[in-house]
Amino acid sequence: MKGVSSFAVVQVWQEAANKQDIEHLLAISADNIEIVGPRGSGYGHQLLRDWLGRAGLTLETLRVFGRGEVVVLAQRGVWRSIETGEVTGESDLASCFQVKNQHVVRFARYDELNAALEQAGLNFSDEILQN
């Protein structure tokens, strides 16, 4: 994947997460990936595996912002019961990614796009327009 843009890596990562494809997700995540969410932060593949197994979350990307190694996605999140598949919640949120050497090294979820952009050092002029 040499020469692949940070956004392309994030797209593949997000697709693997939505499909619950943990092996693919781990393959494109740094061994010591930092995961930041409403309950705090932690590191590593085991935490990523645990999060994916319990979250029941799929994310639809609405807008993309990025510069260099940092990508922020404005998204619509849908949470489903792991047992029944029933929708248990929906919300607009934002995800911030940092990519190094074609691997996601940091994934952080925010309740608001502005907070994610601020943390990432990005602004609305960094939007990547999609076809």
Side-chain angles (χ1 to χ4, degrees):
M1 285 183 36
K2 188 167 178 60
V4 173
S5 74
S6 294
F7 174 53
V9 172
V10 167
Q11 282 181 300
V12 171
W13 194 95
Q14 188 62 72
E15 183 178 307
N18 280 345
K19 290 180 177 179
Q20 300 278 309
D21 183 349
I22 190 63
E23 295 310 317
H24 196 185
L25 192 64
L26 295 177
I28 56 176
S29 298
D31 290 343
N32 202 30
I33 183 173
E34 181 181 13
I35 302 166
V36 182
R39 296 181 180 143
S41 65
Y43 296 88
H45 277 188
Q46 188 58 50
L47 179 62
L48 182 58
R49 186 185 298 275
D50 293 347
W51 169 75
L52 192 66
R54 75 173 176 272
L57 174 63
T58 55
L59 295 164
E60 175 190 3
T61 299
L62 306 173
R63 296 173 74 184
V64 178
F65 304 84
R67 186 179 341 120
E69 298 177 334
V70 180
V71 176
V72 170
L73 305 179
Q75 298 174 302
R76 180 75 180 164
V78 177
W79 288 263
R80 296 183 181 275
S81 166
I82 298 297
E83 293 80 28
T84 67
E86 290 182 36
V87 173
T88 59
E90 294 185 47
S91 180
D92 288 333
L93 54 94
S95 299
C96 180
F97 297 84
Q98 184 175 2
V99 177
K100 287 184 190 262
N101 301 318
Q102 287 80 46
H103 287 82
V104 174
V105 298
R106 184 174 191 271
F107 164 70
R109 201 184 89 206
Y110 295 88
D111 291 334
E112 297 179 359
L113 176 59
N114 287 339
L117 290 172
E118 183 178 323
Q119 186 281 327
L122 300 177
N123 58 54
F124 287 101
S125 71
D126 292 304
E127 186 163 8
I128 299 168
L129 299 178
Q130 302 298 297
N131 298 355

